[in-house]
Amino acid sequence: MKILVVDDEELLVKGIKFNLQNDGYEVIAGYDGEQAIELAQNPEVSLIVLDVMMPKVDGLEACRRIREFSQVPIIMLTARTDDMDKLLGFEQGADDYLTKPFNILELKARIRALLRRSTNAQPTQHRLTIGRITIDTQERNVYCAGQSVELTAREFDVVELLMRNANRVYSRENLLNAVWGFEAYRSDVRTVDVHIRRIREKLERIPAEPEYFMTKWGVGYYFKA
C-alpha cells in the first residue's frame, strides 16, 4: 500500500518514511505543493500526508487541486493551532488534521483509521489504468489506448502483477514463482523473457523501445508508472 508524504522539511519526511516503511507501507516522498499534485496522480496512492506551509503551491491549494481528480484520504500537517486554518483545510477536502510537533504513533493511528474507512466505503476496484494501458481484473481484459488486446492467461497474470506493483523490480525467479507458482520448478527462467517479449509486442508502441514493461539490467523486469 502506497502513502504519499509531502513536506518541505526533508528530515521530517525522512522520519515519517522510516516509520511507515517499518509498518509495511511503501512511501512516496515529495517536498513542495507542485510535487504533491503531480505525485498524487499515481493511481496506486492510497493516502496522502500533506503539509500546509510549502513552497511553490501551499498545501491548501494542493489539496483543493488534488480533490479535482482524486478522493484518497488526505491528512494535513500544520505548525499553526488556529482553528480557522483547520476549517479551511477541511473545506478544501482534507479528511484529518495534525498539528506539529506530533507523536508518530498518533500519525500512524490516524492513517490506519482513514485507510479502514476508505476501504470500507469504496467498492472493490476491478479496473486499473496506468498510462495507455487498462486491465479489468474481473473480466480479465486488457486495453491499450482504448483498444482491446488479446493476451494469454499467463501473459495477463504477468501484466496484472507488474501493474499492481508499478516500479517494483522483479527478478525472473520472483516472477516465475509469483505467476507460475507450483509449476515454476518445471519452467526455465527464459520462459519469463519470452512472455515479456510477447507482452511488449502486444502493448508497446515500439517493442524494442518499451515505455512500460522495462528491463532493469542484471536484475529483472518492472512496469514503469
Side-chain angles (χ1 to χ4, degrees):
M1 187 170 289
K2 290 184 173 67
I3 295 178
L4 172 60
V5 179
V6 187
D7 195 303
D8 60 341
E9 297 180 49
E10 293 191 19
L11 285 177
L12 178 62
V13 172
K14 185 177 180 180
I16 294 174
K17 183 176 182 179
F18 174 80
N19 279 277
L20 293 182
Q21 286 178 332
N22 282 345
D23 280 7
Y25 299 108
E26 184 175 343
V27 179
I28 304 171
Y31 305 97
D32 62 59
E34 287 184 355
Q35 289 184 346
I37 298 165
E38 179 182 355
L39 294 170
Q41 297 179 51
N42 183 338
E44 295 291 300
V45 169
S46 299
L47 182 141
I48 301 170
V49 178
L50 184 63
D51 186 35
V52 171
M53 300 299 293
M54 289 190 297
K56 298 185 179 179
V57 177
D58 67 46
L60 295 174
E61 175 64 13
C63 181
R64 184 189 69 78
R65 288 164 63 178
I66 289 169
R67 279 290 173 254
E68 293 176 356
F69 59 83
S70 175
Q71 294 304 313
V72 300
I74 297 177
I75 299 176
M76 303 292 293
L77 304 179
T78 179
R80 299 185 292 192
T81 58
D82 188 354
D83 286 341
M84 183 57 68
D85 197 42
K86 295 181 180 181
L87 289 174
L88 286 172
F90 288 129
E91 287 178 1
Q92 299 300 339
D95 296 278
D96 202 352
Y97 237 97
L98 205 54
T99 303
K100 298 177 180 177
F102 54 84
N103 188 314
I104 190 65
L105 296 178
E106 182 178 2
L107 175 62
K108 292 197 287 187
R110 295 192 184 201
I111 287 173
R112 288 193 297 270
L114 281 175
L115 288 175
R116 280 197 301 269
R117 280 165 43 192
S118 176
T119 302
N120 292 335
Q122 297 182 14
T124 302
Q125 298 296 313
H126 299 297
R127 286 203 169 206
L128 172 61
T129 299
I130 303 178
R132 296 181 301 111
I133 300 174
T134 296
I135 61 171
D136 184 322
T137 58
Q138 188 173 47
E139 301 294 333
R140 290 180 67 83
N141 291 327
V142 179
Y143 305 89
C144 186
Q147 300 297 312
S148 179
V149 178
E150 290 295 326
L151 297 185
T152 66
R154 200 71 80 185
E155 288 166 356
F156 182 92
D157 291 340
V158 173
V159 169
E160 180 181 2
L161 177 68
L162 293 179
M163 286 186 69
R164 285 194 179 280
N165 298 276
N167 298 321
R168 175 180 172 182
V169 180
Y170 284 85
S171 69
R172 290 168 176 82
E173 291 79 7
N174 286 342
L175 277 171
L176 202 60
N177 288 327
V179 175
W180 277 260
F182 71 93
E183 297 179 19
Y185 74 95
R186 292 186 294 173
S187 304
D188 190 282
V189 291
R190 287 173 294 184
T191 300
V192 174
D193 299 334
V194 171
H195 279 73
I196 293 292
R197 176 174 55 78
R198 289 175 179 167
I199 289 167
R200 285 172 174 166
E201 289 171 351
K202 294 178 180 181
L203 295 176
E204 298 282 8
R205 286 194 183 100
I206 306 175
E209 300 175 11
E211 301 173 62
Y212 299 105
F213 297 92
M214 312 299 290
T215 300
K216 184 76 170 179
W217 296 108
V219 184
Y221 298 105
Y222 66 100
F223 185 93
K224 183 178 180 181

